[in-house]
Amino acid sequence: MKEIVINLIENESENTKLDFKQEQYPIDKGNAKKGEFLKDMCAFANLTSKEDKYIIIGIEEKGGTAVGLKPIDGLQDQASYQQFLNQYIEPEINFEYREFVYKDSRLAYFRIFDNDKGPYLFKNEYRDNLPKSPTYRAGTGFVRSGSSTRELRRDDFEKIYAERSSIEDRSNDIDFDFSIWGFTSQELKYKGYIKHLRVDVINLSNRSIDLDIEAKIYNKKNVRAKCTQDLAYIFFREDQEKSLLAYQSFQGKVTPQFNFRETNVRFENYKEYSIYEITPSKGTHTALRAKQKGKQIDIFNGQIALVFSRPTEINIEITVRSNDFPNGPKTFEYEIPQEEISEFLDPRDL
């Protein structure tokens, strides 16, 4: 990616998909120019071109051509930029913000990409109440035109909607497979009717596809869903306390600590159901990429634990989001019958 950005600096002038900025966008409170960031990002996201768009920071330009460098002091926080955008513009804009070194100068760039859910519009009015600070009404949108930015017109909306309708719907390219497994960890192996639900995603097509996935598992009288790591920690502490009560510890013995690992899975428990959501790894924008004609094993990284009091059916709802789903998220509903669950529960485990 760095090579692409350097090539843009050395060989291209500002155009519809490229802009040079001398300084980083300010988004701190009280800065009259922070609205410029919202306007520019909105304008690039509304371009119907499938090519990546770039805003390169730290470039002095003349007539749209890079003529010098103005190194930046430090990289801003991408999460802060994303939060500021999400506060005022919808739908969410995909971008990455990275630092790089060019000719011993510290620069940065925004890469705006895969934004095909337009039009991108202000959902709230932006008003900073400072001299020379712009005001943007709710419902306003912008688009790049040459090397400048203008407000969206009717023909722009028609072009954006026509582009959206031409997107191939790939929601039928994926499916899921479920299986019940026993735990092998010391904390959970001999703890009764506790099983691991493995969820695999299958890509039926000849092209890879980026997905955001969450699973909703309904709690019932005889089964509840838990987070594996949280459950293992509870049993670890219980065993630790029993060991102390039984005077099995001795002076100088170091009690091993329970290590929490990064699972990229967010867990939330409610009265009627539990939700597991795969979170993107650092530097990525989607939870996972399903490879062409392949199966991705255990996409929730072993974190779905089912605690049974007796065999009962499991109801699962999988919600999938993708830029390749033009009609929005797709929901898959599955049921693992009681008879199948019974095969994996040994009465001797209780």
Side-chain angles (χ1 to χ4, degrees), residues 21 23-28 30-40 84 126 128 130-134 136:
K21 298 287 184 183
E23 300 176 350
Q24 296 196 84
Y25 288 103
I27 57 171
D28 49 301
N31 195 305
K33 294 186 66 177
K34 69 188 225 179
E36 182 181 349
F37 172 68
L38 299 172
K39 180 179 178 181
D40 287 348
F84 184 49
Y126 174 79
D128 215 325
L130 293 171
K132 298 183 179 179
S133 178
Y136 303 125

Side-chain angles (χ1 to χ4, degrees), residues 334-346:
Y334 298 91
E335 179 180 288
I336 303 177
Q338 178 179 328
E339 295 75 18
E340 188 172 334
I341 298 295
S342 299
E343 296 177 9
F344 297 94
L345 299 183
D346 188 340

Side-chain angles (χ1 to χ4, degrees), residues 94 210-212 278-281 284-289 321 323:
N94 289 324
D210 292 330
L211 306 169
D212 289 310
I278 307 174
T279 59
S281 301
T284 63
H285 291 271
T286 52
L288 63 86
R289 172 167 292 178
R321 296 174 175 84
N323 286 336

